PDB file of all heavy atoms in Angstrom:
ATOM      1  N   PRO A 279      34.582  89.158 121.818  1.00 97.00           N
ATOM      2  CA  PRO A 279      34.972  87.813 122.239  1.00 97.00           C
ATOM      3  C   PRO A 279      36.344  87.808 122.913  1.00 97.00           C
ATOM      4  O   PRO A 279      37.365  88.109 122.285  1.00 97.00           O
ATOM      5  CB  PRO A 279      35.005  87.028 120.923  1.00 97.00           C
ATOM      6  CG  PRO A 279      35.297  88.057 119.876  1.00 97.00           C
ATOM      7  CD  PRO A 279      34.672  89.339 120.354  1.00 97.00           C
ATOM      8  N   VAL A 280      36.354  87.489 124.193  1.00 98.00           N
ATOM      9  CA  VAL A 280      37.610  87.274 124.914  1.00 98.00           C
ATOM     10  C   VAL A 280      37.776  85.767 125.001  1.00 98.00           C
ATOM     11  O   VAL A 280      37.256  85.112 125.906  1.00 98.00           O
ATOM     12  CB  VAL A 280      37.583  87.929 126.306  1.00 98.00           C
ATOM     13  CG1 VAL A 280      38.913  87.713 127.029  1.00 98.00           C
ATOM     14  CG2 VAL A 280      37.282  89.419 126.191  1.00 98.00           C
ATOM     15  N   GLY A 281      38.448  85.217 123.997  1.00 98.00           N
ATOM     16  CA  GLY A 281      38.566  83.772 123.867  1.00 98.00           C
ATOM     17  C   GLY A 281      39.964  83.279 124.143  1.00 98.00           C
ATOM     18  O   GLY A 281      40.774  83.970 124.782  1.00 98.00           O
ATOM     19  N   THR A 282      40.243  82.071 123.641  1.00 98.00           N
ATOM     20  CA  THR A 282      41.548  81.438 123.865  1.00 98.00           C
ATOM     21  C   THR A 282      42.275  81.149 122.559  1.00 98.00           C
ATOM     22  O   THR A 282      43.309  80.492 122.561  1.00 98.00           O
ATOM     23  CB  THR A 282      41.365  80.111 124.630  1.00 98.00           C
ATOM     24  OG1 THR A 282      40.557  79.225 123.832  1.00 98.00           O
ATOM     25  CG2 THR A 282      40.717  80.321 125.984  1.00 98.00           C
ATOM     26  N   GLY A 283      41.743  81.602 121.428  1.00 96.00           N
ATOM     27  CA  GLY A 283      42.306  81.266 120.129  1.00 96.00           C
ATOM     28  C   GLY A 283      43.606  81.989 119.824  1.00 96.00           C
ATOM     29  O   GLY A 283      44.014  82.916 120.545  1.00 96.00           O
ATOM     30  N   PRO A 284      44.273  81.613 118.728  1.00 96.00           N
ATOM     31  CA  PRO A 284      45.567  82.207 118.379  1.00 96.00           C
ATOM     32  C   PRO A 284      45.485  83.653 117.905  1.00 96.00           C
ATOM     33  O   PRO A 284      46.504  84.321 117.782  1.00 96.00           O
ATOM     34  CB  PRO A 284      46.090  81.293 117.266  1.00 96.00           C
ATOM     35  CG  PRO A 284      44.880  80.618 116.712  1.00 96.00           C
ATOM     36  CD  PRO A 284      43.914  80.496 117.843  1.00 96.00           C
ATOM     37  N   TYR A 285      44.272  84.144 117.621  1.00 97.00           N
ATOM     38  CA  TYR A 285      44.099  85.538 117.198  1.00 97.00           C
ATOM     39  C   TYR A 285      43.002  86.205 118.015  1.00 97.00           C
ATOM     40  O   TYR A 285      42.093  85.544 118.535  1.00 97.00           O
ATOM     41  CB  TYR A 285      43.760  85.612 115.707  1.00 97.00           C
ATOM     42  CG  TYR A 285      44.965  85.376 114.827  1.00 97.00           C
ATOM     43  CD1 TYR A 285      45.297  84.082 114.413  1.00 97.00           C
ATOM     44  CD2 TYR A 285      45.792  86.426 114.441  1.00 97.00           C
ATOM     45  CE1 TYR A 285      46.415  83.856 113.628  1.00 97.00           C
ATOM     46  CE2 TYR A 285      46.914  86.206 113.653  1.00 97.00           C
ATOM     47  CZ  TYR A 285      47.219  84.926 113.261  1.00 97.00           C
ATOM     48  OH  TYR A 285      48.341  84.700 112.495  1.00 97.00           O
ATOM     49  N   MET A 286      43.110  87.537 118.124  1.00 97.00           N
ATOM     50  CA  MET A 286      42.117  88.366 118.808  1.00 97.00           C
ATOM     51  C   MET A 286      41.513  89.334 117.789  1.00 97.00           C
ATOM     52  O   MET A 286      42.160  89.682 116.798  1.00 97.00           O
ATOM     53  CB  MET A 286      42.776  89.184 119.922  1.00 97.00           C
ATOM     54  CG  MET A 286      43.581  88.379 120.907  1.00 97.00           C
ATOM     55  SD  MET A 286      44.434  89.440 122.121  1.00 97.00           S
ATOM     56  CE  MET A 286      45.712  90.181 121.084  1.00 97.00           C
ATOM     57  N   VAL A 287      40.280  89.778 118.033  1.00 97.00           N
ATOM     58  CA  VAL A 287      39.674  90.795 117.183  1.00 97.00           C
ATOM     59  C   VAL A 287      40.290  92.139 117.547  1.00 97.00           C
ATOM     60  O   VAL A 287      40.093  92.655 118.650  1.00 97.00           O
ATOM     61  CB  VAL A 287      38.147  90.843 117.351  1.00 97.00           C
ATOM     62  CG1 VAL A 287      37.568  91.987 116.516  1.00 97.00           C
ATOM     63  CG2 VAL A 287      37.515  89.514 116.930  1.00 97.00           C
ATOM     64  N   LYS A 288      41.074  92.706 116.630  1.00 97.00           N
ATOM     65  CA  LYS A 288      41.725  93.994 116.845  1.00 97.00           C
ATOM     66  C   LYS A 288      40.808  95.150 116.453  1.00 97.00           C
ATOM     67  O   LYS A 288      40.697  96.153 117.159  1.00 97.00           O
ATOM     68  CB  LYS A 288      43.017  94.045 116.031  1.00 97.00           C
ATOM     69  CG  LYS A 288      43.736  95.398 116.019  1.00 97.00           C
ATOM     70  CD  LYS A 288      44.307  95.737 117.368  1.00 97.00           C
ATOM     71  CE  LYS A 288      45.159  97.000 117.271  1.00 97.00           C
ATOM     72  NZ  LYS A 288      45.652  97.437 118.609  1.00 97.00           N
ATOM     73  N   ASP A 289      40.144  95.011 115.294  1.00 97.00           N
ATOM     74  CA  ASP A 289      39.312  96.103 114.791  1.00 97.00           C
ATOM     75  C   ASP A 289      38.265  95.526 113.840  1.00 97.00           C
ATOM     76  O   ASP A 289      38.535  94.573 113.117  1.00 97.00           O
ATOM     77  CB  ASP A 289      40.190  97.130 114.059  1.00 97.00           C
ATOM     78  CG  ASP A 289      39.448  98.414 113.723  1.00 97.00           C
ATOM     79  OD1 ASP A 289      38.389  98.660 114.339  1.00 97.00           O
ATOM     80  OD2 ASP A 289      39.925  99.169 112.853  1.00 97.00           O
ATOM     81  N   TRP A 290      37.094  96.116 113.879  1.00 97.00           N
ATOM     82  CA  TRP A 290      36.026  95.738 112.938  1.00 97.00           C
ATOM     83  C   TRP A 290      35.375  97.014 112.444  1.00 97.00           C
ATOM     84  O   TRP A 290      34.719  97.710 113.203  1.00 97.00           O
ATOM     85  CB  TRP A 290      34.999  94.824 113.620  1.00 97.00           C
ATOM     86  CG  TRP A 290      33.820  94.473 112.751  1.00 97.00           C
ATOM     87  CD1 TRP A 290      33.766  94.485 111.387  1.00 97.00           C
ATOM     88  CD2 TRP A 290      32.520  94.055 113.189  1.00 97.00           C
ATOM     89  NE1 TRP A 290      32.529  94.090 110.936  1.00 97.00           N
ATOM     90  CE2 TRP A 290      31.740  93.824 112.029  1.00 97.00           C
ATOM     91  CE3 TRP A 290      31.947  93.844 114.438  1.00 97.00           C
ATOM     92  CZ2 TRP A 290      30.415  93.403 112.097  1.00 97.00           C
ATOM     93  CZ3 TRP A 290      30.624  93.419 114.506  1.00 97.00           C
ATOM     94  CH2 TRP A 290      29.874  93.194 113.348  1.00 97.00           C
ATOM     95  N   ARG A 291      35.594  97.318 111.189  1.00 96.00           N
ATOM     96  CA  ARG A 291      34.937  98.453 110.551  1.00 96.00           C
ATOM     97  C   ARG A 291      33.873  97.892 109.618  1.00 96.00           C
ATOM     98  O   ARG A 291      34.179  97.332 108.559  1.00 96.00           O
ATOM     99  CB  ARG A 291      35.948  99.312 109.783  1.00 96.00           C
ATOM    100  CG  ARG A 291      36.988  99.921 110.714  1.00 96.00           C
ATOM    101  CD  ARG A 291      37.732 101.059 110.091  1.00 96.00           C
ATOM    102  NE  ARG A 291      38.716 101.610 111.016  1.00 96.00           N
ATOM    103  CZ  ARG A 291      39.529 102.634 110.724  1.00 96.00           C
ATOM    104  NH1 ARG A 291      39.465 103.197 109.529  1.00 96.00           N
ATOM    105  NH2 ARG A 291      40.388 103.078 111.624  1.00 96.00           N
ATOM    106  N   ARG A 292      32.619  98.051 110.050  1.00 95.00           N
ATOM    107  CA  ARG A 292      31.515  97.406 109.353  1.00 95.00           C
ATOM    108  C   ARG A 292      31.490  97.804 107.881  1.00 95.00           C
ATOM    109  O   ARG A 292      31.582  98.979 107.537  1.00 95.00           O
ATOM    110  CB  ARG A 292      30.194  97.763 110.021  1.00 95.00           C
ATOM    111  CG  ARG A 292      30.064  97.196 111.429  1.00 95.00           C
ATOM    112  CD  ARG A 292      28.803  97.668 112.120  1.00 95.00           C
ATOM    113  NE  ARG A 292      28.753  97.232 113.503  1.00 95.00           N
ATOM    114  CZ  ARG A 292      28.170  96.120 113.927  1.00 95.00           C
ATOM    115  NH1 ARG A 292      27.584  95.313 113.055  1.00 95.00           N
ATOM    116  NH2 ARG A 292      28.172  95.800 115.207  1.00 95.00           N
ATOM    117  N   GLY A 293      31.351  96.789 107.047  1.00 93.00           N
ATOM    118  CA  GLY A 293      31.305  97.005 105.612  1.00 93.00           C
ATOM    119  C   GLY A 293      32.658  97.200 104.973  1.00 93.00           C
ATOM    120  O   GLY A 293      32.764  97.282 103.744  1.00 93.00           O
ATOM    121  N   GLU A 294      33.736  97.253 105.777  1.00 96.00           N
ATOM    122  CA  GLU A 294      35.076  97.479 105.234  1.00 96.00           C
ATOM    123  C   GLU A 294      36.005  96.295 105.495  1.00 96.00           C
ATOM    124  O   GLU A 294      36.472  95.651 104.560  1.00 96.00           O
ATOM    125  CB  GLU A 294      35.680  98.752 105.831  1.00 96.00           C
ATOM    126  CG  GLU A 294      34.938 100.029 105.468  1.00 96.00           C
ATOM    127  CD  GLU A 294      35.623 101.255 106.033  1.00 96.00           C
ATOM    128  OE1 GLU A 294      36.866 101.246 106.157  1.00 96.00           O
ATOM    129  OE2 GLU A 294      34.921 102.223 106.383  1.00 96.00           O
ATOM    130  N   TYR A 295      36.274  96.002 106.780  1.00 96.00           N
ATOM    131  CA  TYR A 295      37.197  94.912 107.069  1.00 96.00           C
ATOM    132  C   TYR A 295      37.061  94.465 108.524  1.00 96.00           C
ATOM    133  O   TYR A 295      36.487  95.160 109.368  1.00 96.00           O
ATOM    134  CB  TYR A 295      38.646  95.314 106.790  1.00 96.00           C
ATOM    135  CG  TYR A 295      39.183  96.427 107.669  1.00 96.00           C
ATOM    136  CD1 TYR A 295      39.624  96.174 108.971  1.00 96.00           C
ATOM    137  CD2 TYR A 295      39.258  97.736 107.211  1.00 96.00           C
ATOM    138  CE1 TYR A 295      40.113  97.181 109.783  1.00 96.00           C
ATOM    139  CE2 TYR A 295      39.746  98.764 108.009  1.00 96.00           C
ATOM    140  CZ  TYR A 295      40.175  98.469 109.294  1.00 96.00           C
ATOM    141  OH  TYR A 295      40.659  99.469 110.096  1.00 96.00           O
ATOM    142  N   ILE A 296      37.625  93.280 108.787  1.00 97.00           N
ATOM    143  CA  ILE A 296      37.788  92.763 110.137  1.00 97.00           C
ATOM    144  C   ILE A 296      39.270  92.446 110.291  1.00 97.00           C
ATOM    145  O   ILE A 296      39.843  91.706 109.478  1.00 97.00           O
ATOM    146  CB  ILE A 296      36.956  91.479 110.387  1.00 97.00           C
ATOM    147  CG1 ILE A 296      35.500  91.705 110.015  1.00 97.00           C
ATOM    148  CG2 ILE A 296      37.067  91.026 111.842  1.00 97.00           C
ATOM    149  CD1 ILE A 296      35.163  91.239 108.618  1.00 97.00           C
ATOM    150  N   LEU A 297      39.903  93.001 111.310  1.00 97.00           N
ATOM    151  CA  LEU A 297      41.343  92.821 111.524  1.00 97.00           C
ATOM    152  C   LEU A 297      41.567  91.970 112.763  1.00 97.00           C
ATOM    153  O   LEU A 297      41.105  92.312 113.860  1.00 97.00           O
ATOM    154  CB  LEU A 297      42.030  94.173 111.683  1.00 97.00           C
ATOM    155  CG  LEU A 297      43.556  94.141 111.864  1.00 97.00           C
ATOM    156  CD1 LEU A 297      44.228  93.600 110.590  1.00 97.00           C
ATOM    157  CD2 LEU A 297      44.086  95.529 112.207  1.00 97.00           C
ATOM    158  N   LEU A 298      42.277  90.858 112.578  1.00 97.00           N
ATOM    159  CA  LEU A 298      42.654  89.992 113.696  1.00 97.00           C
ATOM    160  C   LEU A 298      44.132  90.185 114.006  1.00 97.00           C
ATOM    161  O   LEU A 298      44.956  90.331 113.103  1.00 97.00           O
ATOM    162  CB  LEU A 298      42.396  88.520 113.356  1.00 97.00           C
ATOM    163  CG  LEU A 298      40.986  88.126 112.911  1.00 97.00           C
ATOM    164  CD1 LEU A 298      40.903  86.618 112.741  1.00 97.00           C
ATOM    165  CD2 LEU A 298      39.931  88.617 113.885  1.00 97.00           C
ATOM    166  N   GLN A 299      44.462  90.177 115.292  1.00 97.00           N
ATOM    167  CA  GLN A 299      45.842  90.340 115.740  1.00 97.00           C
ATOM    168  C   GLN A 299      46.311  89.090 116.462  1.00 97.00           C
ATOM    169  O   GLN A 299      45.559  88.471 117.222  1.00 97.00           O
ATOM    170  CB  GLN A 299      45.961  91.544 116.679  1.00 97.00           C
ATOM    171  CG  GLN A 299      47.377  91.804 117.168  1.00 97.00           C
ATOM    172  CD  GLN A 299      47.454  93.031 118.072  1.00 97.00           C
ATOM    173  OE1 GLN A 299      46.441  93.582 118.467  1.00 97.00           O
ATOM    174  NE2 GLN A 299      48.669  93.455 118.387  1.00 97.00           N
ATOM    175  N   LYS A 300      47.560  88.723 116.235  1.00 96.00           N
ATOM    176  CA  LYS A 300      48.150  87.548 116.873  1.00 96.00           C
ATOM    177  C   LYS A 300      48.098  87.677 118.389  1.00 96.00           C
ATOM    178  O   LYS A 300      48.401  88.731 118.955  1.00 96.00           O
ATOM    179  CB  LYS A 300      49.596  87.399 116.402  1.00 96.00           C
ATOM    180  CG  LYS A 300      50.368  86.246 117.006  1.00 96.00           C
ATOM    181  CD  LYS A 300      51.778  86.229 116.445  1.00 96.00           C
ATOM    182  CE  LYS A 300      52.627  85.124 117.068  1.00 96.00           C
ATOM    183  NZ  LYS A 300      53.996  85.120 116.470  1.00 96.00           N
ATOM    184  N   PHE A 301      47.703  86.599 119.075  1.00 97.00           N
ATOM    185  CA  PHE A 301      47.694  86.551 120.535  1.00 97.00           C
ATOM    186  C   PHE A 301      49.023  85.956 120.987  1.00 97.00           C
ATOM    187  O   PHE A 301      49.273  84.765 120.814  1.00 97.00           O
ATOM    188  CB  PHE A 301      46.510  85.723 121.025  1.00 97.00           C
ATOM    189  CG  PHE A 301      46.470  85.499 122.510  1.00 97.00           C
ATOM    190  CD1 PHE A 301      46.786  86.514 123.399  1.00 97.00           C
ATOM    191  CD2 PHE A 301      46.092  84.267 123.030  1.00 97.00           C
ATOM    192  CE1 PHE A 301      46.751  86.316 124.767  1.00 97.00           C
ATOM    193  CE2 PHE A 301      46.037  84.056 124.393  1.00 97.00           C
ATOM    194  CZ  PHE A 301      46.373  85.075 125.268  1.00 97.00           C
ATOM    195  N   GLY A 302      49.879  86.799 121.542  1.00 95.00           N
ATOM    196  CA  GLY A 302      51.243  86.384 121.864  1.00 95.00           C
ATOM    197  C   GLY A 302      51.344  85.321 122.937  1.00 95.00           C
ATOM    198  O   GLY A 302      52.337  84.589 122.992  1.00 95.00           O
ATOM    199  N   SER A 303      50.339  85.189 123.791  1.00 96.00           N
ATOM    200  CA  SER A 303      50.386  84.208 124.882  1.00 96.00           C
ATOM    201  C   SER A 303      49.541  82.976 124.579  1.00 96.00           C
ATOM    202  O   SER A 303      49.116  82.270 125.506  1.00 96.00           O
ATOM    203  CB  SER A 303      49.908  84.863 126.185  1.00 96.00           C
ATOM    204  OG  SER A 303      50.750  85.934 126.555  1.00 96.00           O
ATOM    205  N   TYR A 304      49.280  82.735 123.293  1.00 96.00           N
ATOM    206  CA  TYR A 304      48.473  81.567 122.927  1.00 96.00           C
ATOM    207  C   TYR A 304      49.159  80.285 123.374  1.00 96.00           C
ATOM    208  O   TYR A 304      50.375  80.114 123.205  1.00 96.00           O
ATOM    209  CB  TYR A 304      48.233  81.525 121.424  1.00 96.00           C
ATOM    210  CG  TYR A 304      47.455  80.305 120.981  1.00 96.00           C
ATOM    211  CD1 TYR A 304      46.125  80.144 121.346  1.00 96.00           C
ATOM    212  CD2 TYR A 304      48.061  79.306 120.223  1.00 96.00           C
ATOM    213  CE1 TYR A 304      45.402  79.026 120.964  1.00 96.00           C
ATOM    214  CE2 TYR A 304      47.349  78.184 119.829  1.00 96.00           C
ATOM    215  CZ  TYR A 304      46.024  78.040 120.204  1.00 96.00           C
ATOM    216  OH  TYR A 304      45.314  76.928 119.833  1.00 96.00           O
ATOM    217  N   THR A 305      48.364  79.360 123.932  1.00 93.00           N
ATOM    218  CA  THR A 305      48.879  78.080 124.418  1.00 93.00           C
ATOM    219  C   THR A 305      48.326  76.963 123.552  1.00 93.00           C
ATOM    220  O   THR A 305      47.166  76.572 123.691  1.00 93.00           O
ATOM    221  CB  THR A 305      48.464  77.842 125.881  1.00 93.00           C
ATOM    222  OG1 THR A 305      48.805  78.990 126.662  1.00 93.00           O
ATOM    223  CG2 THR A 305      49.156  76.613 126.437  1.00 93.00           C
ATOM    224  N   PRO A 306      49.124  76.446 122.620  1.00 94.00           N
ATOM    225  CA  PRO A 306      48.591  75.419 121.710  1.00 94.00           C
ATOM    226  C   PRO A 306      48.523  74.047 122.358  1.00 94.00           C
ATOM    227  O   PRO A 306      49.245  73.751 123.311  1.00 94.00           O
ATOM    228  CB  PRO A 306      49.618  75.421 120.567  1.00 94.00           C
ATOM    229  CG  PRO A 306      50.896  75.828 121.223  1.00 94.00           C
ATOM    230  CD  PRO A 306      50.515  76.802 122.314  1.00 94.00           C
ATOM    231  N   ALA A 307      47.643  73.215 121.815  1.00 94.00           N
ATOM    232  CA  ALA A 307      47.648  71.798 122.184  1.00 94.00           C
ATOM    233  C   ALA A 307      48.931  71.169 121.664  1.00 94.00           C
ATOM    234  O   ALA A 307      49.506  71.620 120.668  1.00 94.00           O
ATOM    235  CB  ALA A 307      46.427  71.104 121.596  1.00 94.00           C
ATOM    236  N   GLN A 308      49.374  70.135 122.314  1.00 92.00           N
ATOM    237  CA  GLN A 308      50.653  69.525 121.936  1.00 92.00           C
ATOM    238  C   GLN A 308      50.503  68.364 120.951  1.00 92.00           C
ATOM    239  O   GLN A 308      51.498  67.863 120.434  1.00 92.00           O
ATOM    240  CB  GLN A 308      51.389  69.057 123.193  1.00 92.00           C
ATOM    241  CG  GLN A 308      51.825  70.206 124.093  1.00 92.00           C
ATOM    242  CD  GLN A 308      52.622  71.273 123.342  1.00 92.00           C
ATOM    243  OE1 GLN A 308      53.661  70.974 122.729  1.00 92.00           O
ATOM    244  NE2 GLN A 308      52.134  72.509 123.356  1.00 92.00           N
ATOM    245  N   GLN A 309      49.273  67.945 120.679  1.00 93.00           N
ATOM    246  CA  GLN A 309      49.082  66.885 119.681  1.00 93.00           C
ATOM    247  C   GLN A 309      49.385  67.447 118.286  1.00 93.00           C
ATOM    248  O   GLN A 309      49.253  68.652 118.054  1.00 93.00           O
ATOM    249  CB  GLN A 309      47.642  66.367 119.733  1.00 93.00           C
ATOM    250  CG  GLN A 309      47.304  65.579 120.986  1.00 93.00           C
ATOM    251  CD  GLN A 309      47.076  66.479 122.191  1.00 93.00           C
ATOM    252  OE1 GLN A 309      46.846  67.673 122.039  1.00 93.00           O
ATOM    253  NE2 GLN A 309      47.163  65.913 123.377  1.00 93.00           N
ATOM    254  N   PRO A 310      49.792  66.598 117.357  1.00 94.00           N
ATOM    255  CA  PRO A 310      50.065  67.083 115.993  1.00 94.00           C
ATOM    256  C   PRO A 310      48.837  67.741 115.380  1.00 94.00           C
ATOM    257  O   PRO A 310      47.699  67.375 115.712  1.00 94.00           O
ATOM    258  CB  PRO A 310      50.436  65.796 115.236  1.00 94.00           C
ATOM    259  CG  PRO A 310      50.863  64.830 116.292  1.00 94.00           C
ATOM    260  CD  PRO A 310      50.051  65.152 117.508  1.00 94.00           C
TER     261      PRO A 310
END
């Protein structure tokens, strides 16, 4: 998934873990 969320999928080791990494260029909405 190449999305727009605040995290990216860094690594997925099936049956062990899923690691998400912060997306440094994330653009948040300005509403509270």
Side-chain angles (χ1 to χ4, degrees):
V280 181
T282 61
Y285 284 90
M286 307 176 288
V287 176
K288 173 68 173 175
D289 190 18
W290 176 23
R291 297 197 180 180
R292 294 175 186 267
E294 296 183 32
Y295 64 80
I296 307 96
L297 182 65
L298 305 185
Q299 181 179 9
K300 178 180 177 179
F301 175 41
S303 298
Y304 177 67
T305 309
Q308 294 308 303
Q309 290 77 18

